Amino acid sequence: TLSPQELKSEAIKDKLTKSKYRNIFMPPESSLSNNEAVPVTAIAMKLLDVRLKQSGAIIESTIGEFTASGRQELALLRGGGTLELFRIDKGQAKLVSRLETRSVLRCLAMIRLTGDKRDVLAVGADGGAISVIDFKEGKAKVVHCMEFGKTGCRRGTPGQYLATDPKGRAVMISAIEKRKLVYVLNRDATGKPTIASPLEAHRTRTLTFATVGLDNGYDNPIFATLELQYPDTEDTVHESAEEVEKQLAYYELDLGLNHVSRRWATVAHRSANCLAAVPGGADGPGGVLVGGEDWIEYLHESVITKSSEDTNTTKVSHRILSAFPRRYLHPVGKGILITKITVHRQKKSKFFALAQNEFGDVYKVDVKLNPEDKTKVVGLTVSFLDILPLANSLNVSKLGMLFVAAEFGDHNLYQFERIDIPDSPSCTSDQSKEAYLKSNAKNEIDFYNTANACHIACKFTPSILKNLRKVYTMDSAAPTTGILVGELAGNEVSPQIYTLNGRGPRSSVRIMRHGAAVTELAVSDLPGIPGGIFTIAENSEGMGDNNVANDRFIVVSFADATLVLRVGETVEEVGKESGFEISSPTLACNALGNDGGMVQVHPLGVRHIQQGKAKQWNCAGLKRIEYASANETQVIIALAGGQVTYFELNPETGNLTEVFTRDMGADVCCLDVGTLPPGKSKSLFAAVGCRDQTVRIVSLDSKNLSRGTTQLGSRPHSVALQIMTSGQISREGGHNDTILTVGLDDGSSLRYDVDTVNGSIKSPPTRRFLGARPVSISRVYLESSASTLLLSSRPWISRLDPTSGKHIMAPLSYVPLDHGCSFNSEVVQD
């Protein structure tokens, strides 16, 4: 803000006058009073980021029943702030819902609220809040969003760790240092889930490494944490880093007093870094499995972890921990760290755990219970299972599937071939206990080190998968270590993106193209340059199984000839016996009626082929047919000079008869008769494009000659009338919509909605620039739904999204095409 005195300065006034922003900065002379300041407006730059590809990295994942009871689904926390829900179905993971948060997602956990049959998600992010998200019917809805701290990923702001009570009564969210908050979950009088104000469980100078919710039945909820309290810098006596103990602590939530207290703590192995809760209450002994370097340990209140160092008593081992099998040729003095542990519950109170080390080796951990008292653990058995990619999360489903959210590279879904592996290399806690009792060590913590683990552990040789079978791969380009953009293929319009991905033996070079993937099934050379391609469907009374009309002919048109191919067990060429006029180009052809008849339109006339005999309608005089279109009961042609003639199949005689002829008032450059509406025998309208840059909807009812016209900005090159089902989620309740698609000479496409009653064209249209070439349009079917193929400098596909009900258009990752049509056979059903 400049004061009036500064504005009166000659130097400043001269600079502002010469500036191109003088209208912004210089106020009128009359406004320069001595009592007011003049605001100076700044120009701001706004940035917008658009993703070329969804993030492939998975920070964390969990499995549950989120949309409906009995449906196993994966909730994925993606990099870039995306939350995705996938359903496991027939050995595949299918996307159900995607939620863009535009934040940094840090942790998630599954919660099944009391009395509910579905699960909800608790998510922690960088916004300083915890959110509870419900995916009822596949739609994400934020049920609660409780704020508790500042924004950003800070070490003192909770959000790094999230743990839930297995009974759905409480959730703990923790920071890396000091702060822990516990939220109590409940329901109000109407049954709606509620979340109470947070209860603090802070502890000064404490670093947290992992948290987990214990299965304590219906007693007070308990949360277990791995933590380390570092010494105060103001203390006169300083401890070394090695002397500071890492502890496993239990925090109990007293539901009666509404208070959180530190109930119990014990010394854990210094390298401990991950936890997994063991089923408790009526289903098991409770407690946790702790993973660290070279050892897996079971800890609980019932386990005495204090070593006996009294020389007057017998040496006894109290801790329950086991080494795990190691690879041959692994250095003896180098430790191996357990990075992830997960527990899977089976029927009849059975369970097992899976643990993975830093090299990807996966172990099955069996907890041995006291035969007389099932609440006491007496031993552990760790068996080698298989080698998998290093995972951020391991999720086991009730269907015998294992999902591995890989730290680097693609994520995989595996099927268990077997889980009982008696012949696999195994280590037990009894072996560790026996080795300790035979040693001269006085303290168990000092004994359980890398050297002793190497001596106790058995060895195995890495091999291919034996107990697991990979059934599905989810692509991931993370991490991307290098990138190059350029048109290096030589025959594509858009440049490709070449990336270096992954790490170590799982690294790869990937080529990314803008567009939907296309699978090329067959390629055949042609004797010349084609002018069009068509397919003719089977229309006899026994079409085949499920009344699927497979195509029986492929017709290729050339400048002065027509090639007819019969589709059967093999594809073979047929000549005049097909009934086609093969010495002329074909403008349009289609199956006609339901008695095996066909129609061919060529420049000299319209040819109706029925039961091996051909009838032809010839053009009058020297006129020639320039454009044509046909469906199962109708044919429309355009002659030179703008004359349009309409033919219709007589259902009684089976003959193709001329209905009327109209003069459009301008030369016709494209037309389409449309498809048959469901339950009707003919299309009510036809679309005609003229050289005067108009598209007209012509009524095919001889009693009503009304038409709708729209003016275009360029000459139309092709038109298509298509009936698309809007779907169950549309506002029309799943009604059929008539869509007019227009391809222009300038490389653009227009999409209009057409009134199904009077044929009027609704405005405004949806315009999309597709390329530098005129746009050709063909009707195709994609996943059994009507779609549109648009061909310009590159091919495009246009369709209605069945999940969102919105109209989407995407390019195809393929070479430029000149002509296209739909093809269906017993081998290629879609």
Side-chain angles (χ1 to χ4, degrees):
T1 302
L2 301 179
S3 65
Q5 289 76 16
E6 292 174 328
L7 281 174
K8 292 179 180 179
S9 171
E10 293 298 326
I12 295 179
K13 187 179 297 185
D14 182 69
K15 290 182 179 180
L16 292 177
T17 303
K18 295 180 180 180
S19 172
K20 63 179 180 179
Y21 300 111
R22 56 184 178 272
N23 294 329
I24 298 176
F25 292 108
M26 287 296 294
E29 290 291 340
S30 59
S31 65
L32 296 180
S33 64
N34 295 328
N35 299 324
E36 61 179 356
V38 179
V40 178
T41 305
I43 298 176
M45 179 182 294
K46 298 180 180 180
L47 301 178
L48 173 66
D49 67 289
V50 179
R51 291 196 182 116
L52 298 179
K53 187 176 178 63
Q54 291 292 336
S55 174
I58 297 178
I59 302 170
E60 194 173 352
S61 65
T62 186
I63 194 166
E65 300 173 359
F66 300 102
T67 59
S69 178
R71 293 180 179 176
Q72 289 282 288
E73 290 151 335
L74 290 165
L76 309 181
L77 212 63
R78 296 274 194 182
T82 304
L83 182 63
E84 293 180 342
L85 190 69
F86 283 83
R87 179 173 299 143
I88 301 177
D89 184 23
K90 298 180 181 179
Q92 293 185 345
K94 299 181 179 179
L95 180 65
V96 176
S97 178
R98 176 183 287 121
L99 178 62
E100 296 282 353
T101 65
R102 295 291 179 177
S103 62
V104 179
L105 300 179
R106 304 173 67 186
C107 57
L108 89 163
M110 179 266 294
I111 307 174
R112 175 161 295 189
L113 299 173
T114 305
D116 208 343
K117 295 183 179 180
R118 296 185 303 105
D119 302 317
V120 296
L121 276 178
V123 181
D126 65 340
I130 179 173
S131 302
V132 179
I133 303 175
D134 188 8
F135 283 95
K136 186 176 181 180
E137 299 179 356
K139 297 181 180 179
K141 178 183 178 182
V142 179
V143 181
H144 293 287
C145 185
M146 299 292 291
E147 299 178 359
F148 52 74
K150 299 179 180 179
T151 59
C153 299
R154 308 168 188 268
R155 67 176 186 176
T157 301
Q160 184 66 26
Y161 307 104
L162 194 60
T164 61
D165 174 51
K167 300 300 180 183
R169 299 170 296 174
V171 57
M172 172 185 276
I173 185 166
S174 308
I176 296 177
E177 185 177 2
K178 182 182 176 180
R179 298 183 65 192
K180 301 180 185 69
L181 298 176
V182 177
Y183 290 88
V184 180
L185 304 175
N186 214 326
R187 293 182 181 273
D188 58 15
T190 61
K192 183 180 178 180
T194 61
I195 184 168
S197 299
L199 304 175
E200 296 182 354
H202 305 335
R203 191 163 184 254
T204 59
R205 296 182 286 106
T206 300
L207 300 178
T208 303
F209 296 87
T211 62
V212 70
L214 289 188
D215 188 351
N216 199 32
Y218 288 98
D219 293 339
N220 286 333
I222 295 178
F223 298 95
T225 65
L226 266 179
E227 55 189 36
L228 182 148
Q229 188 174 38
Y230 55 86
D232 191 351
T233 55
E234 297 180 358
D235 291 344
T236 55
V237 179
H238 295 283
E239 299 178 79
S240 63
E242 291 76 12
E243 294 175 352
V244 179
E245 294 181 341
K246 184 178 288 187
Q247 293 183 333
L248 173 71
Y250 281 4
Y251 288 86
E252 181 181 8
L253 169 63
D254 193 320
L255 295 175
L257 300 177
N258 203 29
H259 175 71
V260 181
S261 60
R262 196 168 190 260
R263 169 171 170 167
W264 173 79
T266 185
V267 178
H269 197 274
R270 185 57 191 270
S271 62
N273 68 97
C274 57
L275 298 174
V278 176
D283 299 328
V288 294
L289 291 173
V290 184
E293 191 175 43
D294 302 310
W295 303 94
I296 297 176
E297 184 174 11
Y298 171 78
L299 288 176
H300 195 36
E301 290 176 313
S302 59
V303 179
I304 303 174
T305 57
K306 186 176 181 181
S307 298
S308 175
E309 300 181 12
D310 191 353
T311 57
N312 297 326
T313 60
T314 306
K315 187 177 181 180
V316 178
S317 175
H318 299 283
R319 307 185 79 95
I320 303 174
L321 75 167
S322 172
F324 46 83
R326 302 166 67 94
R327 298 185 181 187
Y328 278 109
L329 304 179
H330 186 77
V332 176
K334 187 176 181 181
I336 302 177
L337 186 68
I338 294 293
T339 58
K340 187 64 61 177
I341 302 180
T342 185
V343 175
H344 176 64
R345 298 191 183 203
Q346 296 173 297
K347 296 180 179 179
K348 298 180 181 180
S349 301
K350 294 182 179 180
F351 63 92
F352 67 89
L354 294 180
Q356 188 181 44
N357 65 22
E358 58 184 310
F359 300 118
D361 305 333
V362 179
Y363 306 96
K364 180 191 176 186
V365 182
D366 291 310
V367 179
K368 185 179 179 181
L369 305 180
N370 190 330
E372 299 178 357
D373 187 359
K374 298 294 185 180
T375 62
K376 292 185 179 180
V377 176
V378 296
L380 296 177
T381 301
V382 182
S383 306
F384 171 71
L385 183 67
D386 262 322
I387 301 177
L388 301 177
L390 192 61
N392 285 333
S393 292
L394 296 172
N395 306 115
V396 184
S397 77
K398 297 178 182 179
L399 305 175
M401 299 282 187
L402 171 63
F403 178 71
V404 178
E407 183 178 355
F408 302 105
D410 296 338
H411 317 292
N412 299 319
L413 183 66
Y414 297 88
Q415 174 76 55
F416 281 98
E417 294 291 327
R418 60 172 184 164
I419 194 61
D420 296 324
I421 43 178
D423 56 340
S424 180
S426 303
C427 297
T428 65
S429 58
D430 294 336
Q431 296 173 350
S432 303
K433 184 180 296 185
E434 182 181 354
Y436 167 69
L437 295 177
K438 292 180 179 180
S439 68
N440 297 324
K442 296 182 179 181
N443 190 296
E444 285 186 276
I445 292 294
D446 296 334
F447 172 78
Y448 295 121
N449 52 36
T450 299
N452 292 327
C454 295
H455 177 72
I456 297 171
C458 59
K459 304 296 190 295
F460 70 91
T461 302
S463 63
I464 60 174
L465 296 178
K466 294 182 178 179
N467 304 303
L468 295 168
R469 176 172 54 90
K470 184 166 66 174
V471 295
Y472 179 76
T473 298
M474 189 180 297
D475 293 337
S476 173
T480 300
T481 57
I483 188 169
L484 174 66
V485 179
E487 209 295 281
L488 305 183
N491 58 350
E492 298 182 14
V493 178
S494 300
Q496 305 88 42
I497 302 176
Y498 298 83
T499 59
L500 299 177
N501 309 99
R503 188 188 72 168
R506 302 189 70 236
S507 58
S508 61
V509 177
R510 305 194 183 202
I511 304 175
M512 300 182 184
R513 292 178 171 88
H514 179 216
V518 175
T519 302
E520 191 176 80
L521 299 180
V523 178
S524 179
D525 293 331
L526 293 174
I529 299 176
I533 185 170
F534 314 91
T535 56
I536 299 178
E538 178 68 45
N539 61 341
S540 59
E541 292 185 356
M543 288 192 303
D545 298 337
N546 300 325
N547 291 328
V548 176
N550 295 327
D551 293 320
R552 56 172 174 161
F553 290 108
I554 298 176
V555 180
V556 184
S557 175
F558 296 94
D560 55 355
T562 295
L563 176 65
V564 183
L565 304 173
R566 179 185 285 117
V567 179
E569 294 182 357
T570 60
V571 179
E572 57 183 2
E573 181 180 352
V574 293
K576 293 184 178 180
E577 60 268 23
S578 64
F580 273 70
E581 179 63 47
I582 60 175
S583 60
S584 298
T586 297
L587 302 178
C589 63
N590 203 80
L592 203 63
N594 56 2
D595 57 354
M598 299 179 292
V599 63
Q600 178 197 15
V601 182
H602 54 87
L604 298 178
V606 179
R607 193 176 185 87
H608 183 197
I609 306 165
Q610 191 176 23
Q611 298 178 356
K613 300 180 180 179
K615 302 177 183 178
Q616 182 162 311
W617 176 91
N618 295 314
C619 297
L622 299 178
K623 288 189 176 182
R624 294 292 181 267
I625 301 175
E626 295 184 344
Y627 303 96
S629 176
N631 59 24
E632 290 83 348
T633 61
Q634 299 163 290
V635 178
I636 187 170
I637 60 175
L639 286 76
Q643 184 177 336
V644 172
T645 303
Y646 169 61
F647 300 86
E648 194 172 296
L649 183 68
N650 191 323
E652 297 179 358
T653 63
N655 296 325
L656 193 64
T657 59
E658 181 181 350
V659 179
F660 60 79
T661 299
R662 296 180 186 174
D663 187 1
M664 302 305 297
D667 290 341
V668 176
C669 55
C670 56
L671 53 77
D672 183 62
V673 74
T675 57
L676 299 183
K680 296 184 179 181
S681 60
K682 66 177 185 178
S683 174
L684 299 179
F685 307 102
V688 181
C690 300
R691 295 185 183 275
D692 59 356
Q693 299 184 1
T694 61
V695 168
R696 309 177 188 187
I697 300 297
V698 180
S699 174
L700 299 181
D701 186 358
S702 58
K703 298 179 182 180
N704 183 9
L705 303 180
S706 63
R707 63 182 70 174
T709 305
T710 183
Q711 188 71 33
L712 308 175
S714 178
R715 190 173 66 180
H717 182 76
S718 59
V719 292
L721 271 175
Q722 195 162 17
I723 298 175
M724 294 186 176
T725 303
S726 56
Q728 296 180 354
I729 58 177
S730 71
R731 291 173 295 181
E732 293 80 8
H735 293 170
N736 294 322
D737 299 332
T738 303
I739 304 297
L740 171 64
T741 307
V742 182
L744 304 180
D745 281 350
D746 62 1
S748 301
S749 71
L750 300 175
R751 188 181 75 250
Y752 295 89
D753 291 331
V754 178
D755 192 292
T756 56
V757 178
N758 56 27
S760 61
I761 299 176
K762 302 177 183 179
S763 58
T766 302
R767 179 184 288 268
R768 184 74 178 264
F769 179 75
L770 305 184
R773 290 165 44 180
V775 180
S776 300
I777 302 174
S778 300
R779 288 187 294 267
V780 296
Y781 283 88
L782 186 64
E783 296 180 354
S784 301
S785 61
S787 306
T788 307
L789 178 67
L790 302 100
L791 305 177
S792 182
S793 300
R794 64 182 308 180
W796 293 71
I797 196 76
S798 175
R799 59 177 298 195
L800 282 174
D801 187 1
T803 57
S804 64
K806 298 180 179 179
H807 203 98
I808 57 175
M809 181 180 291
L812 299 182
S813 180
Y814 202 66
V815 297
L817 301 174
D818 296 324
H819 311 281
C821 67
S822 181
F823 177 71
N824 191 38
S825 69
E826 295 180 356
V827 179
V828 185
Q829 292 293 335
D830 195 3

